Amino acid sequence: MAQPPTRTESCPVPPPGSRSIDQILAAARARLRRLDPERAHLAVRGGALLVDIRPAGQRAAHGTVPGALAVERNVLEWRFDPRCVARLPQAVDYDVPVIVLCQEGYTSSLAAAALQDLGLHLATDVAGGFASWRIAGLPTLGPTPPLRPSSAAPPVTAGRAPR
């Protein structure tokens, strides 16, 4: 899959010490033992937690993985820090194997590195994200079909008396 575009034309001079998103992503991935979808599936079957960090709208539009724990990205660290009062029951210690899933495998790399920063040293992500999981033919549910008007009474003729 192609990497998301980064803007380079007419880019302002970055402040000293700053890093581009490409550099941040590369540094995050250098720390991870990323899993292809098949290996991630085997790890989940072996007891690892698959955590889907996509927003609800994205899960509805593209589908979900059965058994995945939905924890949106904006609260991930609070839900998995064993020291936090807002943690999930699954966040029992620092040896919990967490596999993070996003749509294409970019945000999940950053999120897995953030979990490692908390001390969850087994945290990693799925290379290629949900899109590659689905392409691999692994179990999925959905997407949720959009609501469509009933075909029993088309909107144009609904409520009109026949002529």
Side-chain angles (χ1 to χ4, degrees):
M1 294 192 176
Q3 200 164 6
T6 54
R7 187 177 175 154
T8 57
E9 72 277 351
S10 70
C11 182
V13 175
S18 68
R19 298 181 295 160
S20 71
I21 187 58
D22 292 333
Q23 292 169 317
I24 293 168
L25 182 62
R29 287 181 171 171
R31 298 166 44 192
L32 303 175
R33 294 182 64 198
R34 301 183 79 211
L35 302 174
D36 63 35
E38 293 83 0
R39 287 189 179 167
H41 185 247
L42 289 173
V44 170
R45 291 180 61 191
L49 289 175
L50 183 63
V51 179
D52 190 337
I53 63 169
R54 297 174 299 154
Q58 202 170 35
R59 292 190 310 271
H62 297 281
T64 60
V65 174
L69 185 61
V71 179
E72 292 192 16
R73 177 65 189 98
N74 63 325
V75 295
L76 182 70
E77 291 87 347
W78 286 269
R79 299 301 180 253
F80 279 94
D81 184 351
R83 295 168 280 212
C84 183
V85 296
R87 72 183 175 275
L88 293 170
Q90 295 89 333
V92 294
D93 61 40
Y94 298 95
D95 296 325
V96 174
V98 177
I99 303 170
V100 184
L101 181 76
C102 70
Q103 186 61 33
E104 294 185 354
Y106 295 98
T107 304
S108 59
S109 295
L110 301 176
L115 291 179
Q116 285 188 356
D117 289 342
L118 291 174
L120 283 92
H121 61 99
L122 299 175
T124 190
D125 74 325
V126 177
F130 180 81
S132 67
W133 182 284
R134 174 163 269 171
I135 289 168
L138 295 170
T140 61
L141 298 172
T144 305
L147 295 177
R148 296 194 177 148
S150 170
S151 60
V156 176
T157 60
R160 289 188 182 173
R163 292 182 188 189

